[in-house]
Amino acid sequence: MSKIPSRAEALDLLTTYTKSPSLIIHAKSVEACMRYYARKHGEDEEKWGIIGLVHDMDWEQFPEQHTKKTREILEAANWPEEYIRAVESHAYLTCTDVVPESLMEKTIYAVDELTGLIRTTALIRPSKSVLDVKVKSVKRNWKNKRFAAGVDRTVIERGAEMLGIEIPDLIHDCIEAMKEVAEEIELKGEL
């Protein structure tokens, strides 16, 4: 029988496999978005947050086995299949063929890439803060494919479509989520 992991256990696993400060910040950004959406939909905030926290934990050490190595690690730690499948689904069509089906899976798929675009938008502001980022700023930068070039906008678009929401609404919610943890994700800036 699987056991429900705690956030402390998830963070410990993340930091065991991930040393890069930027990847840990990314994980915490996705965690914040997942928690925000869990609250918004009356879902289990702890579960959604934990999945967001560990979703890329194998990326630094095992990029060629992304999500597959995480599956092995989480299975060995006796995590529930629902958690493992959600982590796998975030990389649909890039590293895995696990289709996001549940609301939780569709959400992590939609917010993962978007956090990078929001972060980069915040860092070019004079304030260096997410606290004063507006949806229109992110949308303006969206069109410039050289801006945050590693962010796959088609994944965000596909994720928003899966969720049945408009891109500006998704951006708004992720900005709000990231504001909640601005200091922890080093985006409090000068404000």
Side-chain angles (χ1 to χ4, degrees), residues 96-142:
T96 181
D97 59 358
V98 177
V99 179
E101 293 175 352
S102 70
L103 180 60
M104 179 173 60
E105 292 171 353
K106 291 173 183 176
T107 302
I108 193 165
Y109 182 78
V111 305
D112 179 28
E113 293 283 309
L114 181 54
T115 62
L117 190 61
I118 293 168
R119 177 174 192 75
T120 307
T121 301
L123 290 173
I124 65 163
R125 300 182 67 73
S127 66
K128 306 275 192 253
S129 176
V130 72
L131 299 175
D132 63 351
V133 169
K134 306 284 185 241
V135 171
K136 66 181 180 183
S137 300
V138 177
K139 284 293 287 178
R140 183 173 46 251
N141 292 319
W142 181 287

Side-chain angles (χ1 to χ4, degrees), residues 17 57-58 62 65-74:
Y17 291 94
M57 75 177 196
D58 64 1
F62 310 100
Q65 300 175 63
H66 185 41
T67 74
K68 294 166 189 65
K69 197 66 176 173
T70 296
R71 171 171 275 285
E72 291 174 20
I73 295 163
L74 297 182

